[in-house]
Amino acid sequence: STLRRSRRQRQMCIRDSFEVAWSGTSGEGDYISVARPRTGRKKHLDWSYTHLGSPVSLAAPFEPGRYVVRYVSGTSNKIVARQPIEVR
């Protein structure tokens, strides 16, 4: 699976909502989340199931900094794709 954000959404402001498009096969329980870098796969700030379709809408964190958007497999609980974002 792969993740994409539009070019205008590489940086965002706190509390903004943003869309993440994904491609690939959606497995049972798969989800896309936004989290702090180097945190466990179940530690996230917002998330959306992939069965809802692409793109999904997520909320930017409430604090400025660097974060990561992750595609997480619902069956293996492994992070299968990730993409950094910056919140200002």
Side-chain angles (χ1 to χ4, degrees), residues 13-69:
C13 293
I14 59 173
R15 300 182 185 171
D16 279 353
S17 64
F18 64 100
E19 291 186 341
V20 178
W22 58 273
S23 61
T25 305
S26 175
E28 185 176 339
D30 288 5
Y31 61 94
I32 295 174
S33 67
V34 61
R36 287 180 168 63
R38 297 177 296 280
T39 58
R41 64 190 162 273
K42 292 188 177 188
K43 299 246 182 188
H44 46 260
L45 302 167
D46 194 21
W47 61 278
S48 181
Y49 283 119
T50 57
H51 76 268
L52 299 174
S54 178
V56 298
S57 182
L58 297 174
F62 293 153
E63 295 180 18
R66 294 178 189 264
Y67 296 87
V68 63
V69 173

Side-chain angles (χ1 to χ4, degrees), residues 5 9 14 21 30 33 40-41 46 50 53 57-58 60 67-68 72 75-77 79 83 85-87:
R5 286 182 335 278
Q9 292 181 323
I14 59 173
D30 288 5
S33 67
R41 64 190 162 273
D46 194 21
T50 57
S57 182
L58 297 174
Y67 296 87
V68 63
V72 181
T75 54
S76 69
N77 282 320
I79 298 169
Q83 191 172 79
I85 61 170
E86 185 174 352
V87 176

